[in-house]
């Protein structure tokens, strides 16, 4: 028995030795080899660099995550997005960069749980890793030459509107923020917005917080009161952006919207994210995601966005059930 | 004694009725005896017309000669001298328009099955232990070279540079390396394990592959130079899908071939454990006549579509797709609608496709490409019933690099302008493959990558002496 074992070990040793790469691990004889091992470990670590370092639940369906992604953080600008995959069978989903910290090398995402991937993502916690993260993608929001801007955010879209408001405010632009939610418990980023705005107006559909009504109501009354904006930046559900654009068109105020259609690669390869802008086909991933709100065909975008809704719901339920079963076990 | 059979040795394939239910490779490839018998059909012509037909000039009679002598590893090594990816080219090259077109045996009967023999040589070599050994590399010269894109052009460029002693980093935008070999060409035509194997071979040589890195976004080319890269090769391909601009093209159920194939090949949407969705299809129309159209149609069949149509505006003779793929597609029950052009995709009422309004065509005068151009026949409109449409009418280079690299010159189609040594308008930046030519073949891209590597080497060495 003993002898048999010894022979096996010897064979294994020879085999491993032939396997080149791990040779230094077995020949730990001098300082030089230790350095090689440390170097290899660093290389291995690099493969798992997208670590979640902060997770905060903002409301029952919206979560914030700060993820280590030094390369994306280095170049990120407001208005850009990343593509991530939660695990090796995961789909690629686009998420807008809500914030970034170049010193810490992190980017922050804020997402609403709508399908299987966001549900899976939500089961990850601080210290867990994300399989893949690519970015920053898309063209940054243009903020040059603006003096007074109305930033309109709706629901989870506020997460995208916030970095833009923050940048504008930091550049000395007068920022009026109007953020809308369905009800009080869904309000997110209130403190952040109030810090980044010269005036903040919170709207809820049911009046349980702030003013009762839609963001368009608030925007209209501000314009009627005589506020003159160089530009309105509207980010939220397609329907909201559609009505904001319709309103500002009446007053002739330039309006920028941020589109978030279905994407796969996010680099202009699949054409899945195509939208019609001023009668032309545009790819949101490489031509956008910001577009002139007065030119976007919102009705088409709304219909295109709904194609996988049934599948998405079914997949979401499946993931929920799966995790529920795991928890019960 | 030469084998004087007028026909190629048949290659064993999965039965059409079986293979439309799976994504496994269709052709099994030659076994040793069949390969030797096929090799014996080669007449070993003195003037070697086949070599001129090969975009990278593989010494074809020489490698076939080695197969005749049953020196299969030697045969592989001869191919490897000119081609970086024999496993891939043996499977996806349009041989009937290249080497096999020039083959003397083709004048009376079928040409020698050069592609099949190439594939055989690779399969044999790759099953040998010596294929796992790291080849001897020259001493590192301490210079860094960057390659953008891990498709055929990028991989061959990287392979050449590392063998010249450079430290090579390949940047890939997607989460997997391989480019079009991974997201475009389906598993049943080019198994992904083979692409993986080629990539592992490169990594084993010391090539670093950075996935999830989009050049033009994560790094600009300027950043690469600042980070010490001495020369950059752009092999970013032609990934941006073209659309036709007809009515109804944005309806739900209309895909670019890239989207459809990416969902399947890259994201494995057909597999139970994949999170990426794909809509079930019943009647599907694929527009286009190239390999991509064939791939999309055959993938649709494998997803369970009942009727798969290929709509092509010219006749079968003008179709650019590889002959074998057209044959396989027909065997699998794909319905070809030649001389037919889509005029409109019709809306079923809920923003989904319910048909394609087509117009019949006839061939008129030859156009600038030398192919007879199709002309619509008046009053020939008809509706083809379909619930999905795939647009496979070509791709253009992606704007990410040209928009972020100041001073780089591109032509009207967005392709990089290069000289005969793959040099772009900016010093130290080289380009090749589809990014330069527009959508073309794997072998051309590979050849360009190789040529660029040589030019980059000369450039970097020239700079050191100065």
């Amino acid at each position: 028995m003993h002898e048999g074992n010894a022979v096996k070990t010897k064979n294994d040793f020879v085999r491993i030795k032939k396997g080149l790469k791990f040779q230094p691990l077995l020949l730990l004889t001098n300082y030089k080899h230790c350095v090689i091992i440390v170097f290899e470990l660093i290389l291995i670590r690099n493969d798992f660099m997208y670590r979640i370092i902060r997770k905060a639940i903002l409301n029952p369906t919206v979560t914030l995550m700060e993820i280590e992604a030094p390369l994306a953080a280095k170049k990120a600008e407001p208005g850009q997005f990343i593509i991530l995959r939660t695990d090796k069978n995961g789909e690629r989903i686009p998420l807008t960069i809500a914030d970034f910290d170049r010193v810490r090398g992190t980017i922050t995402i804020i997402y609403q749980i709508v399908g299987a991937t966001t549900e899976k993502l939500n089961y990850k916690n601080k210290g867990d890793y994300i399989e893949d993260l690519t970015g920053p993608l898309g063209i940054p929001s243009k903020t040059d030459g603006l003096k007074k801007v109305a930033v309109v955010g709706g629901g989870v879209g506020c997460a995208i509107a916030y970095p833009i408001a923050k940048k504008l405010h930091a550049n000395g632009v007068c920022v009026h923020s109007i953020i809308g939610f369905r009800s009080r418990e869904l309000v997110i980023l209130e403190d952040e917005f109030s810090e980044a705005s010269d005036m903040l107006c919170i709207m809820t559909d049911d009046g349980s917080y702030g003013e009762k009504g839609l963001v368009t109501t608030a925007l209209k009354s501000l314009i009627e009161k005589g506020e003159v904006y160089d530009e309105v930046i509207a980010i939220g559900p397609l329907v909201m952006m559609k009505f904001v654009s319709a309103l500002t068109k009446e007053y002739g105020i330039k309006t920028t919207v941020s589109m978030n259609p279905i994407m796969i690669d996010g680099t202009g390869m699949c054409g899945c994210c195509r939208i019609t802008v001023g009668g032309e086909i545009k790819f949101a991933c490489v031509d956008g995601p910001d577009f002139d709100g007065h030119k976007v065909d919102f009705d088409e975008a709304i219909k295109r966005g709904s194609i996988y809704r049934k599948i998405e719901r079914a997949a979401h339920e499946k993931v929920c059930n799966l995790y529920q079963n795991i928890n019960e076990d | 004694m030469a084998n004087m059979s007028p026909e190629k040795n048949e290659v064993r394939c999965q039965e059409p009725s079986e293979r439309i239910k799976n994504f496994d490779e269709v052709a099994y490839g030659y076994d040793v005896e069949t390969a030797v018998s096929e090799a014996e059909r080669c007449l070993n012509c003195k003037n070697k017309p086949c070599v001129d037909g090969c975009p990278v000039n593989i010494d074809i009679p020489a490698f076939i000669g080695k197969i005749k002598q049953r020196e299969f590893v030697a045969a592989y090594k001869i191919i490897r001298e000119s081609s970086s990816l024999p496993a891939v080219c043996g499977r996806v090259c349009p041989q009937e328009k290249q080497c096999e077109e020039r083959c003397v045996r083709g004048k009376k009967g079928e040409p020698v099955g050069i592609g099949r023999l190439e594939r055989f040589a690779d399969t044999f070599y790759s099953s040998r232990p010596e294929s796992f050994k790291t080849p001897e590399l020259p001493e590192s010269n301490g210079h860094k070279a960057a390659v953008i894109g891990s498709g055929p052009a990028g991989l061959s460029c990287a392979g050449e540079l590392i063998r010249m002693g450079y430290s090579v980093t390949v940047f890939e935008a997607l989460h997997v390396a391989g480019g079009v070999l991974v997201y475009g060409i389906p598993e049943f035509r080019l198994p992904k394990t083979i692409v993986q194997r080629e990539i592992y071979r490169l990594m084993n040589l010391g090539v670093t592959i950075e996935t999830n890195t989009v050049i033009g976004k994560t790094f600009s080319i300027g950043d690469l130079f600042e980070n010490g890269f001495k020369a950059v090769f752009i092999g970013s391909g032609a990934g941006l899908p073209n659309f036709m601009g007809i009515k109804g093209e944005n309806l739900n159920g209309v895909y670019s071939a890239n989207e459809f194939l990416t969902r399947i090949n890259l994201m494995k949407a057909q597999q139970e454990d994949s999170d990426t969705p794909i809509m079930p299809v019943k009647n599907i129309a694929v527009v286009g006549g190239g390999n991509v159209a064939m791939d999309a149609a055959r993938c649709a069949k494998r997803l369970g579509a009942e009727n798969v149509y290929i709509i092509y505006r010219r006749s079968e003779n003008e179709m650019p797709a590889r002959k074998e793929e057209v044959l396989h597609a027909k065997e699998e029950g794909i319905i070809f609608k030649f001389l037919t052009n889509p005029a409109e995709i019709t809306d079923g009422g809920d923003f989904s496709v319910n048909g394609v309004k087509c117009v019949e065509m006839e061939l008129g005068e030859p156009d600038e490409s030398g192919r007879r151009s199709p002309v619509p026949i008046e009053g020939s409109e008809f509706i083809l019933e379909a619930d999905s449409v795939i647009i496979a009418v070509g791709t253009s280079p992606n704007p990410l690099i040209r928009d972020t690299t100041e001073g780089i010159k591109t032509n009207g189609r967005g392709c990089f302008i290069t000289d005969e040594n793959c040099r772009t308008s900016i010093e130290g930046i080289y380009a090749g493959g589809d990014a330069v030519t527009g959508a073309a073949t794997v072998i051309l891209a590979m050849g360009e990558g190789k040529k660029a590597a040589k030019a980059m080497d000369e450039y970097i060495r020239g700079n050191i002496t100065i």
Side-chain angles (χ1 to χ4, degrees):
Chain A
M1 277 283 277
H2 185 79
E3 243 181 52
N5 268 346
V7 171
K8 187 170 165 242
T9 318
K10 198 180 160 195
N11 279 345
D12 277 355
F13 180 78
V14 172
R15 189 169 54 80
I16 295 166
K17 220 177 123 185
K18 275 183 180 168
L20 303 163
K21 270 216 157 164
F22 296 101
Q23 208 169 334
L25 281 173
L26 296 158
L27 300 170
L28 249 177
T29 47
N30 61 34
Y31 166 75
K32 207 174 152 191
H33 285 130
C34 295
V35 174
I36 293 172
I37 291 167
V38 171
F39 186 64
E40 282 194 351
L41 287 176
I42 292 168
L43 283 180
I44 293 164
R45 286 286 295 169
N46 261 344
D47 288 343
F48 303 98
M49 62 179 175
Y50 312 116
R51 190 166 59 123
I52 300 165
I53 63 161
R54 183 160 68 101
K55 181 182 177 185
I57 291 158
L58 301 188
N59 78 28
T61 61
V62 176
T63 308
L64 173 149
M65 264 182 193
E66 190 176 347
I67 302 169
E68 272 177 359
L71 295 181
K74 201 171 172 190
K75 285 287 174 79
E77 290 291 340
Q80 289 188 296
F81 64 94
I82 53 111
I83 291 260
L84 66 77
R85 263 179 7 125
T86 52
D87 54 88
K88 70 176 176 26
N89 292 324
E91 63 178 329
R92 294 169 67 96
I93 61 159
L95 287 170
T96 307
I97 298 168
D99 208 348
F100 49 84
D101 188 327
R102 301 205 206 284
V103 182
R104 274 149 64 97
T106 62
I107 58 130
T108 302
I109 50 169
I110 295 178
Y111 57 89
Q112 183 161 26
I113 304 155
V114 285
T117 302
T118 38
E119 184 71 47
K120 277 187 179 176
L121 186 59
N122 211 36
Y123 276 98
K124 292 198 183 266
N125 288 310
K126 186 180 164 184
D128 291 342
Y129 292 89
I130 282 169
E131 183 86 14
D132 292 297
L133 190 149
T134 313
L137 299 167
I139 298 168
S141 299
K142 290 181 180 68
T143 52
D144 300 342
L146 299 174
K147 296 217 162 52
K148 190 169 177 181
V149 173
V151 175
V152 183
V156 73
C158 294
I160 312 165
Y162 166 65
I164 299 166
K166 183 178 157 188
K167 183 176 178 185
L168 288 167
H169 192 71
N171 290 351
V173 179
C174 174
V175 177
H176 286 184
S177 298
I178 305 163
I179 54 176
F181 305 90
R182 282 209 310 278
S183 61
R184 181 188 192 112
E185 60 272 17
L186 299 179
V187 174
I188 57 169
L189 300 173
E190 185 184 352
D191 297 343
E192 285 83 350
F193 265 104
S194 67
E195 238 171 68
S197 315
D198 297 87
M199 191 223 57
L200 173 65
C201 171
I202 301 178
M203 305 294 290
T204 50
D205 294 1
D206 60 1
S208 54
Y209 195 68
E211 302 279 315
K212 184 177 159 91
L214 301 171
V215 288
T216 39
T217 327
L219 181 62
K220 189 171 177 167
S221 75
L222 284 169
I223 298 168
E224 296 275 293
K225 260 190 230 162
E227 300 284 0
V228 179
Y229 301 114
D230 302 329
E231 189 174 326
V232 172
I233 297 169
I235 303 165
L238 287 167
V239 181
M240 182 207 94
M241 294 194 284
K242 176 184 167 179
F243 284 104
V244 169
S245 302
L247 175 75
T248 55
K249 201 170 183 181
E250 278 174 40
Y251 294 96
I253 308 168
K254 187 185 168 202
T255 300
T256 301
V257 295
S258 174
M259 303 297 284
N260 57 342
I262 300 168
M263 286 183 192
I264 305 178
D265 64 298
T267 62
M269 196 188 80
C270 73
C272 184
C273 67
R274 63 191 186 273
I275 54 173
T276 305
V277 182
E280 273 180 67
I281 290 186
K282 295 276 177 193
F283 290 177
C285 63
V286 288
D287 301 323
D290 287 0
F291 292 99
D292 180 346
H294 297 153
K295 289 186 179 161
V296 172
D297 184 342
F298 285 104
D299 294 334
E300 181 187 271
I302 290 167
K303 286 172 193 155
R304 282 186 65 77
S306 68
I307 176 168
Y308 293 105
R309 193 146 298 160
K310 261 192 202 159
I311 296 180
E312 191 175 86
R313 252 183 226 143
H316 181 199
E317 265 171 40
K318 204 170 131 189
V319 173
C320 291
N321 292 338
L322 183 77
Y323 280 107
Q324 210 164 16
N325 290 343
I326 291 169
N327 286 344
E328 278 167 12
D329 287 349
Chain B
M1 238 341 264
N3 170 356
M4 290 316 286
S5 157
E7 278 159 21
K8 280 185 198 174
N9 277 287
E10 287 283 323
V11 68
R12 252 177 1 109
C13 288
Q14 267 198 83
E15 284 303 316
S17 58
E18 247 336 283
R19 69 184 188 232
I20 59 168
K21 294 179 205 146
N22 64 51
F23 276 83
D24 300 339
E25 192 168 17
V26 168
Y28 292 121
Y30 284 154
D31 56 31
V32 171
E33 292 312 316
T34 326
V36 172
S37 150
E38 185 63 28
E40 277 166 357
R41 291 186 65 228
C42 174
L43 301 176
N44 200 10
C45 315
K46 275 223 174 73
N47 58 349
K48 305 178 181 181
C50 50
V51 178
D52 297 330
C54 174
V56 295
N57 305 114
I58 295 173
D59 192 345
I60 294 164
F63 97 75
I64 293 182
K66 289 291 175 197
I67 295 182
K68 269 187 221 174
Q69 295 160 15
R70 295 179 181 261
E71 290 175 33
F72 307 125
V73 173
Y76 172 84
K77 288 192 171 151
I78 292 172
I79 303 172
R80 191 61 192 74
E81 276 168 25
S82 317
S83 165
S84 316
L85 305 165
V88 177
C89 295
R91 287 174 169 85
V92 305
C93 260
Q95 287 96 0
E96 73 275 5
K97 288 182 193 132
Q98 300 175 351
C99 51
E100 293 182 20
E101 187 187 40
R102 313 272 181 107
C103 178
V104 173
R105 293 297 304 265
K107 286 179 183 158
K108 279 183 188 169
E110 287 186 327
V112 176
I114 301 169
R116 291 172 186 177
L117 288 173
E118 181 182 16
R119 175 180 164 173
F120 166 79
D122 173 81
T123 311
F124 188 90
Y125 172 77
S126 298
S127 64
R128 298 278 110 182
E130 62 183 284
S131 74
F132 297 99
K133 272 190 207 150
T134 311
E136 292 283 316
L137 286 183
E139 191 89 347
S140 161
N141 63 20
H143 297 292
K144 293 205 298 181
V147 172
I148 305 169
S150 62
L155 291 182
S156 76
C157 186
E160 292 301 315
L161 288 169
I162 196 97
R163 284 184 175 82
M164 293 171 186
Y166 290 94
S167 149
V168 185
T169 306
V170 178
F171 297 96
E172 167 56 45
L174 294 175
H175 58 271
V176 192
V180 74
L181 306 176
V182 168
Y183 76 75
I185 304 176
E187 181 78 23
F188 56 79
R189 204 146 78 78
L190 178 64
K192 299 307 148 228
T193 46
I194 285 172
V195 183
Q196 256 329 307
R197 190 186 74 200
E198 295 300 328
I199 288 163
Y200 283 144
R201 274 184 192 162
L202 282 183
M203 289 168 82
N204 200 23
L205 289 178
V207 172
T208 309
I209 297 186
E210 296 283 356
T211 51
N212 291 329
T213 312
V214 186
I215 303 301
K217 292 290 170 189
T218 317
F219 293 113
S220 67
I221 290 188
D223 294 336
L224 297 181
F225 284 116
E226 273 172 31
N227 277 300
F229 289 98
K230 294 280 189 291
V232 176
F233 173 73
I234 307 174
S236 53
L240 200 76
N242 297 342
F243 287 92
M244 289 180 297
I246 59 171
K247 203 179 158 200
E249 233 174 350
N250 287 354
L251 292 175
N252 286 339
V254 183
Y255 304 92
S256 73
N258 266 3
E259 178 186 348
F260 190 72
L261 291 171
T262 301
R263 282 183 187 273
I264 295 167
N265 301 330
L266 179 71
M267 306 309 296
K268 312 282 177 211
Q270 73 281 10
Q271 290 174 10
E272 188 64 12
D273 57 3
S274 168
D275 289 343
T276 304
I278 192 152
M279 293 301 275
V281 285
K282 200 170 159 216
N283 300 308
I284 188 160
V286 181
V287 183
N291 285 319
V292 176
M294 302 304 133
D295 289 345
R298 295 170 70 198
C299 280
K301 195 82 193 176
R302 282 160 174 76
L303 287 182
E306 282 171 29
N307 297 304
V308 183
Y309 304 96
I310 284 187
I311 303 176
Y312 181 54
R313 63 197 182 115
R314 301 177 202 247
S315 74
E316 185 167 2
N317 291 332
E318 285 83 17
M319 210 155 54
R322 205 171 167 251
K323 211 165 130 195
E324 194 180 2
E325 308 313 325
V326 180
L327 186 77
H328 282 165
K330 283 183 177 169
E331 286 172 1
E332 288 165 18
I334 311 287
I335 306 157
F336 285 81
K337 297 273 183 193
F338 295 115
L339 290 165
T340 306
N341 205 27
E344 184 190 332
I345 300 164
T346 54
D347 186 348
D350 53 353
F351 210 70
S352 62
V353 176
N354 76 345
V356 187
K357 191 187 273 177
C358 299
V359 67
E360 283 176 26
M361 314 289 273
E362 59 189 353
L363 290 179
E365 295 300 309
D367 63 8
E368 67 273 22
S369 74
R371 295 183 297 181
R372 291 176 68 193
S373 55
V375 192
I377 302 171
E378 256 180 66
S380 65
E381 287 87 359
F382 68 98
I383 299 239
L384 188 73
E385 208 182 295
D387 45 43
S388 278
V389 178
I390 296 171
I391 312 289
V393 295
T395 51
S396 319
N398 187 302
L400 290 179
I401 292 176
R402 66 169 188 259
D403 287 354
T404 53
T405 311
E406 216 172 299
I408 200 155
K409 284 193 182 132
T410 53
N411 65 18
R413 292 180 300 143
C415 303
F416 295 105
I417 296 172
T418 56
D419 68 4
E420 70 285 354
N421 286 321
C422 304
R423 279 192 299 215
T424 66
S425 53
I426 300 181
E427 201 185 301
I429 304 182
Y430 295 74
D434 285 5
V436 170
T437 55
T441 56
V442 168
I443 184 112
L444 272 176
M446 209 194 68
E448 292 264 293
K450 208 173 156 175
K451 201 161 75 182
K454 221 177 265 171
M456 288 162 83
D457 176 46
E458 273 166 30
Y459 166 75
I460 296 173
R461 277 191 292 134
N463 269 9
I464 300 162
T465 48
I466 294 162

